[in-house]
Amino acid sequence: MVLDSRPPAPLVLRAAAGTASRGDAQLPLTVTEFRLLCELAAVPGRVLSRPELLERVWQHGYFGDERIVDVHIRRLRTKVELDPGAPELVVTVRGLGYRLDPQ
């Protein structure tokens, strides 16, 4: 068995073009997932709370359960993380919110 010792391709976000990719692979993000990723990438390393993300991503006064953010973060992780079960890019900060750890 041969293991690939190369480091994984970095996540590349092109906000103006509306695309995200890892290596040569385009990531099939929904509009909401893409907006979440852009908001987190705009302040790398800074924690954004659920209310902040609701305000920034949904913008038009979402009045439902704040847990909708968790659902979209979970879906985003399945597409951008190498191991969604052990995220290294989109990180949960318990009790506070989420942050994007720059690569």
Side-chain angles (χ1 to χ4, degrees):
M1 173 155 100
V2 177
L3 296 176
D4 188 354
S5 62
R6 292 177 295 174
L11 176 68
V12 177
L13 179 63
R14 292 180 185 88
T19 63
S21 60
R22 200 179 266 284
D24 293 333
Q26 285 288 112
L27 302 176
L29 301 179
T30 65
V31 171
T32 302
E33 292 164 350
F34 185 76
R35 291 177 69 182
L36 266 173
L37 187 56
C38 285
E39 290 301 331
L40 291 167
V43 289
R46 180 172 163 240
V47 177
L48 294 176
S49 67
R50 285 185 194 96
E52 284 179 293
L53 288 168
L54 282 171
E55 174 80 24
R56 291 171 178 234
V57 174
W58 279 262
Q59 292 179 345
H60 37 67
Y62 179 80
F63 292 109
D65 190 348
E66 287 182 356
R67 295 291 183 177
I68 191 75
V69 174
D70 302 344
V71 172
H72 285 280
I73 290 286
R74 185 171 46 251
R75 291 178 184 161
L76 175 63
R77 283 178 174 154
T78 65
K79 297 175 183 179
V80 302
E81 294 285 355
L82 297 176
D83 179 3
E88 295 180 354
L89 186 63
V90 180
V91 178
T92 301
V93 180
R94 190 176 172 98
L96 295 176
Y98 299 96
R99 76 169 183 261
L100 183 76
D101 279 350
Q103 296 180 342

